[in-house]
Amino acid sequence: MPNEADTCRRYVVPKLQAAGWDNDPYRLNEQVSFTDGRIVVTGRQGRRRPGKRADYVLRYRPHVTLAVVEAKADYRTPSDGLQQAKEYAEILGLKFAYSTNGHGIVEFDFLTGLESEVDSFPGPEDLWRRLRNSQNVEEHKQTHLVTPTYNLSGKTTRYYQEIAINRTIEAILQGRKRILLTMATGTGKTFVAFQICWKLWSSRWNRGGEHRRPRILFLADRNVLVDDPMAKTFTPFGDARWKIEGGVATKSRQMYFAIYQSIARDENRPGLYREYAPDYFDLIVIDECHRGSARDDSNWREILDYFEPAFQVGMTATPRRHDNVDTYRYFGDAIYTYSLRQGIEDGFLAPYRVHRVVTSWDAAGWRPTQGELDRHGREIPDEEYRTADFERRVALRARTEAVAKHLSNYLQSTDPFAKTIVFCVDQEHADEMRRALNNLNSELVRQHPDYVCRVTSAEGEIGRGHLSNFQDLERQTPVILTSSQMLTTGVDAPTVKNVVLVRLVNSMTEFKQIIGRGTRVRDDYGKLFFSILDYTGSATRLFADPEFDGNPVLETQLTIDDEGNPVTDEDVLESNLEQEGEGTPYPFATSEGASHVAESPGGEPRKFYFDGGAVEIAAHLVYELDPDSGKQLRVIQFTDYTAEKVRTLYSNAAQLQRDWAIPDQRAEIIERLAERGIDFDELANAANQPDADPFDLLCHIAFESPLRTRRERAQRLRAEEREFFQKFEPEAQQVLVQLLDKYAEHGTAQFLIPDVLELPPINQHGNILEIARLFGGEEQLAEAVADLQTLLYVA
């Protein structure tokens, strides 16, 4: 019976070729994978689920996609693939979807909402005409839409980037003066901005329709946000690039870069931006536009208003919220949004675990004894201080050292060279944390003096050098950077595996920027997920916000003592937002306090410094996102979570035993559980049952069956299945018994043939071929081992 591949080869491709889709400059792309596949965290490993793949994608130009086609075997009806085609078309932002069985063709037109049977596939010009008739773009401007993007080395345009680029160009050609793109950190906003500028620049678009290239301004609020793109991504613009700085208004270039501060008005100057005519720039791209540029009373807003004739494209990583409403009031709703949640679902962004670590002083508060003096001899006001006050009003050295000890222990138990960013309250706190981490890791620091560094504005070029080395994929150190505000945005460090919060973060916008430091994926460097170690409750509280759009894969809570050692077991949490409702989820998490430290009058130290006391780590919670439901986990032990997942697959232990006894079926069960984030080594540790067989462990926690060890199963098999062993010659029996012994000691992995045959004592029977001959050949050996495994699980 012909399958789907036969249908494609014999019927679908010829029909598409007859419609002209295989003729240059059009494109007929087969088996197009457009997502990488969601990353599922299993134990300490990440693995990918299959990505989404379309049978055919029809392109008017290499980066202008018009339709998607799904093909089914010819014994199916033509419309059987239409739902899938429509789903893919919606994801890809397309207006036409087709389904075919090779004979009949069904079309769905998103422009009209009509589904119809058609005799043949429409040609490229026909579809292009239908699409353009639905858009308000004058015909003579359409050349700007089809101008090719620039082929940056090592960069491929992802589907959502293509949508963002094309929709922005389309909006500009339609005359929309203010445009907003919302794209999660790590999804390539700079790449998208470059391609928008390149298409317009290379096609000689400008506001007046003159025969010249446009004058474009790339605007941001930090040097790193303009210097890095100018030097790297925007390199193809060559000598057309220029950074406006130093009080000089150069007007001989076309691709300008500037930070607001260098051109804005202040008390000493009227504003360098006024050296340019209001209509000088054709296009202004504002990166990280949520960072205050759109406030009515802002100097930055004054610049945008002055250049009102220009088309203005704002780019932000944060959807509309109360703390960035000015941005949306100015630009309007985003013409395209690609969220953190969608990026994680597509596998383009890394999922993450959240470890909520609580010190006893954060949990219960800290109060000085009456008359307590700080290190400068000042009396500390007698009141209760909480997390929002720590390192702002009162600096607690014992708390800093306990956090540093716990973080150091965590790195030692996972990966001592995992790139880590620690966000502290201020520069002083960052230095205290750096010192504590340095001294706790002195053995590593002796070999790598830059193992831990502070990167704040106070370091200047030295700090920027440490940051550059930290970002370098080929450099092992620095491993840990401590900072306060400097690293919250504009830092591309793809291999960051730990983001550490030792200061309160109250803004969802800032929180997303911070966790964006870890969301980039690098398969080639083993970076598939990252961890957030939250010592202040910020992540826990903000994850509970119903507007948050990218929940964690795992969150844990652990209590630690003043030595940084755990004093409670680590629990897995499942957060049911409907039950939690309003308020802060945990009493020790407070939303009070700002991110800056006020100066004290009279030039005295701006906060009190307490160097005594003993602090313990009180709790360690783990939050993990259920890969099936997409919801956070409740407060639940990992074993209970596993039991719930097993019961979704099997209703009783007998059904599980029936399939588990068959090696192929057992492998499928293990695969399905792994896709749900269940790792047997992790489960055995959580259940404190290192000697249990995985099958018995699953039945025990899911169905309350008696728990057996691997050794007990092996002994039962030897005692009750003697006839099985007697079918073989004595030496072959010895091989089987030795396999059982290895299983009893190490687990089911010891049944992997031929690898285990090369290990002692089994290899004493000869090489692999010689051992196989003891059973009558390789097939007979494989069959004997399979039967051994089946008998292992008969009871």
Side-chain angles (χ1 to χ4, degrees):
M1 180 178 294
N3 57 26
E4 188 174 305
D6 295 328
T7 300
C8 293
R9 183 178 61 256
R10 296 170 57 185
Y11 304 113
V12 181
V13 171
K15 289 180 183 293
L16 290 168
Q17 291 173 332
W21 287 103
D22 209 18
N23 301 331
D24 196 63
Y26 316 120
R27 293 289 187 274
L28 167 57
N29 299 131
E30 301 181 50
Q31 298 300 308
V32 178
S33 295
F34 56 90
T35 73
D36 283 355
R38 183 191 178 100
I39 298 167
V40 177
V41 182
T42 306
R44 298 195 184 278
Q45 302 295 320
R47 45 175 309 180
R48 287 190 182 275
R49 287 179 171 178
K52 291 183 170 61
R53 184 172 62 184
D55 288 337
Y56 299 96
V57 169
L58 309 182
R59 302 183 187 274
Y60 186 70
R61 293 294 187 272
H63 292 289
V64 181
T65 308
L66 296 184
V68 63
V69 180
E70 284 300 306
K72 298 299 178 183
D74 64 357
Y75 61 84
R76 307 274 293 273
T77 65
S79 62
D80 275 2
L82 190 61
Q83 290 300 319
Q84 186 176 10
K86 288 170 64 177
E87 176 191 344
Y88 288 175
E90 287 190 272
I91 294 172
L92 296 171
L94 307 179
K95 300 302 180 183
F96 306 102
Y98 296 88
S99 175
T100 180
N101 64 353
H103 303 292
I105 302 171
V106 178
E107 175 191 81
F108 185 82
D109 185 339
F110 285 87
L111 299 173
T112 63
L114 296 177
E115 178 181 327
S116 57
E117 295 183 359
V118 294
D119 295 329
S120 59
F121 289 106
E125 293 299 335
D126 182 20
L127 271 194
W128 177 249
R129 175 186 52 79
R130 290 165 61 183
L131 179 63
R132 297 274 43 94
N133 286 344
S134 70
Q135 307 295 333
N136 185 27
V137 176
E138 299 173 28
E139 187 172 349
H140 70 277
K141 295 181 179 179
Q142 293 180 9
T143 182
H144 303 299
L145 287 170
V146 298
T147 298
T149 54
Y150 187 89
N151 185 23
L152 284 171
S153 177
K155 294 273 190 179
T156 57
T157 305
R158 294 169 174 169
Y159 80 87
Y160 62 87
Q161 294 170 336
E162 181 179 314
I163 296 172
I165 294 165
N166 291 340
R167 287 191 183 177
T168 302
I169 300 294
E170 185 176 283
I172 290 173
L173 298 180
Q174 290 172 343
R176 183 166 175 172
K177 299 300 289 289
R178 297 176 182 176
I179 300 162
L180 183 66
L181 290 174
T182 301
M183 300 175 64
T185 300
T187 57
K189 291 193 299 296
T190 302
F191 175 80
V192 168
F194 162 74
Q195 295 293 4
I196 291 169
C197 295
W198 179 263
K199 282 170 70 80
L200 295 174
W201 185 78
S202 61
S203 65
R204 293 181 178 270
W205 165 89
N206 55 74
R207 288 183 301 103
E210 306 161 19
H211 184 68
R212 64 172 176 83
R213 297 189 188 275
R215 292 184 288 267
I216 304 171
L217 174 62
F218 186 93
L219 196 59
D221 72 328
R222 295 189 182 186
N223 278 309
V224 68
L225 294 177
V226 298
D227 292 347
D228 198 63
M230 179 179 172
K232 297 177 182 177
T233 308
F234 282 77
T235 299
F237 279 93
D239 291 338
R241 294 169 295 162
W242 187 260
K243 184 180 181 183
I244 304 172
E245 59 183 346
V248 179
T250 298
K251 300 179 182 179
S252 59
R253 308 303 173 96
Q254 295 153 347
M255 186 68 235
Y256 295 86
F257 298 82
I259 60 172
Y260 293 106
Q261 297 89 327
S262 68
I263 62 175
R265 170 179 56 86
D266 59 28
E267 58 186 17
N268 298 318
R269 56 187 181 181
L272 185 61
Y273 70 90
R274 291 184 177 275
E275 295 292 318
Y276 298 92
D279 62 352
Y280 182 80
F281 294 109
D282 298 287
L283 173 68
I284 300 177
V285 177
I286 305 99
D287 194 18
E288 306 290 359
C289 65
H290 62 276
R291 293 164 61 89
S293 63
R295 292 200 311 269
D296 293 340
D297 59 348
S298 167
N299 282 346
W300 302 347
R301 172 66 178 272
E302 180 181 303
I303 296 172
L304 298 182
D305 286 342
Y306 178 81
F307 290 119
E308 186 274 336
F311 286 81
Q312 299 177 9
V313 177
M315 309 194 78
T316 179
T318 57
R320 181 198 292 267
R321 289 181 53 82
H322 69 276
D323 57 359
N324 65 359
V325 67
D326 292 321
T327 299
Y328 284 81
R329 185 182 299 119
Y330 182 80
F331 287 101
D333 290 336
I335 63 170
Y336 182 64
T337 297
Y338 189 74
S339 68
L340 176 63
R341 185 191 300 275
Q342 189 62 51
I344 292 174
E345 181 62 34
D346 288 342
F348 296 128
L349 295 180
Y352 46 93
R353 287 177 163 174
V354 179
H355 298 259
R356 172 66 177 110
V357 186
V358 190
T359 76
S360 56
W361 287 352
D362 287 273
W366 175 80
R367 187 167 191 163
T369 59
Q370 190 171 8
E372 187 87 58
L373 302 181
D374 80 346
R375 93 173 51 142
H376 299 289
R378 299 173 302 164
E379 183 174 337
I380 304 174
D382 183 14
E383 59 183 275
E384 185 176 279
Y385 297 89
R386 303 188 70 83
T387 302
D389 304 310
F390 299 155
E391 306 305 324
R392 290 182 172 87
R393 299 180 60 203
V394 58
L396 303 173
R397 177 171 290 175
R399 176 177 178 267
T400 297
E401 292 178 347
V403 168
K405 179 67 176 296
H406 177 265
L407 175 58
S408 298
N409 290 341
Y410 175 84
L411 290 174
Q412 289 297 327
S413 66
T414 54
D415 179 2
F417 287 93
K419 293 295 180 77
T420 301
I421 300 178
V422 184
F423 290 96
C424 303
V425 172
D426 56 23
Q427 296 190 35
E428 185 179 40
H429 186 213
D431 193 51
E432 291 276 351
M433 185 62 68
R434 179 202 58 77
R435 184 180 300 110
L437 288 167
N438 181 94
N439 293 339
L440 287 165
N441 295 277
S442 57
E443 291 295 323
L444 288 167
V445 173
R446 188 159 50 238
Q447 302 173 52
H448 308 280
D450 62 344
Y451 181 80
V452 53
C453 301
R454 184 180 74 156
V455 176
T456 64
S457 58
E459 270 81 25
E461 288 300 323
I462 294 176
R464 281 189 282 274
H466 289 317
L467 175 58
S468 178
N469 292 338
F470 183 81
Q471 294 173 287
D472 191 334
L473 295 174
E474 303 305 323
R475 291 186 67 104
Q476 192 175 37
T477 58
V479 172
I480 306 173
L481 295 186
T482 66
S483 184
S484 56
Q485 297 282 346
M486 188 172 174
L487 303 181
T488 57
T489 187
V491 177
D492 185 3
T495 57
V496 168
K497 291 187 176 181
N498 299 302
V499 174
V500 183
L501 299 176
V502 199
R503 69 173 172 88
L504 279 174
V505 180
N506 297 313
S507 163
M508 178 67 78
T509 298
E510 184 185 17
F511 177 62
K512 286 190 174 182
Q513 294 289 341
I514 287 174
I515 64 173
R517 300 314 100 212
T519 53
R520 288 166 174 81
V521 176
R522 285 303 298 254
D523 298 68
D524 50 343
Y525 285 84
K527 163 68 185 305
L528 291 174
F529 68 97
F530 70 105
S531 295
I532 299 173
L533 283 85
D534 177 17
Y535 293 91
T536 65
S538 299
T540 305
R541 173 168 42 81
L542 291 169
F543 286 144
D545 188 328
E547 295 184 35
F548 185 74
D549 67 348
N551 294 323
V553 296
L554 185 71
E555 183 171 351
T556 64
Q557 175 162 311
L558 177 67
T559 302
I560 59 178
D561 59 21
D562 56 342
E563 295 295 324
N565 299 313
V567 297
T568 63
D569 292 332
E570 186 170 82
D571 291 330
V572 177
L573 294 181
E574 186 163 334
S575 174
N576 188 325
L577 299 182
E578 294 180 359
Q579 291 181 0
E580 286 179 359
E582 301 178 355
T584 303
Y586 304 99
F588 41 77
T590 173
S591 61
E592 298 178 359
S595 60
H596 67 278
V597 180
E599 292 287 344
S600 297
E604 292 185 358
R606 53 190 177 179
K607 52 190 171 185
F608 296 97
Y609 299 84
F610 180 69
D611 297 337
V615 61
E616 297 180 347
I617 297 296
H620 189 151
L621 304 172
V622 180
Y623 287 76
E624 185 157 9
L625 182 66
D626 186 335
D628 295 325
S629 68
K631 297 179 181 178
Q632 290 178 313
L633 301 176
R634 297 184 302 267
V635 180
I636 187 174
Q637 293 288 344
F638 184 56
T639 51
D640 296 333
Y641 168 71
T642 302
E644 180 182 319
K645 294 305 173 185
V646 171
R647 289 192 292 266
T648 64
L649 299 176
Y650 295 94
S651 59
N652 56 59
Q655 292 178 352
L656 175 58
Q657 182 183 34
R658 179 195 61 210
D659 290 350
W660 190 271
I662 304 171
D664 290 345
Q665 294 276 15
R666 180 166 63 252
E668 183 177 340
I669 295 169
I670 293 171
E671 176 74 15
R672 293 172 71 182
L673 291 175
E675 288 181 356
R676 289 158 174 81
I678 297 171
D679 174 78
F680 283 111
D681 289 337
E682 185 179 9
L683 181 61
N685 288 333
N688 196 26
Q689 296 291 342
D691 298 326
D693 182 272
F695 166 75
D696 292 298
L697 191 55
L698 291 178
C699 288
H700 177 68
I701 64 175
F703 307 112
E704 299 182 354
S705 301
L707 188 61
R708 293 181 180 176
T709 65
R710 295 188 299 272
R711 193 163 303 280
E712 287 173 338
R713 278 204 170 271
Q715 290 172 348
R716 182 206 60 80
L717 178 57
R718 290 184 193 176
E720 298 180 9
E721 301 293 343
R722 292 179 179 174
E723 290 185 5
F724 168 73
F725 290 97
Q726 291 171 357
K727 294 191 301 184
F728 304 99
E729 296 296 325
E731 191 172 3
Q733 291 184 38
Q734 290 180 23
V735 172
L736 294 175
V737 169
Q738 289 165 352
L739 279 173
L740 268 184
D741 290 340
K742 283 196 167 293
Y743 154 77
E745 185 175 356
H746 301 292
T748 54
Q750 302 307 309
F751 289 127
L752 292 178
I753 303 296
D755 297 1
V756 70
L757 303 182
E758 298 177 335
L759 300 177
I762 301 176
N763 59 4
Q764 295 176 4
H765 298 281
N767 59 36
I768 295 173
L769 292 177
E770 290 170 336
I771 294 174
R773 280 198 290 269
L774 298 176
F775 293 85
E778 294 181 18
E779 291 185 7
Q780 290 84 348
L781 168 63
E783 183 178 349
V785 174
D787 290 344
L788 182 69
Q789 294 180 74
T790 300
L791 291 172
L792 194 63
Y793 297 107
V794 295

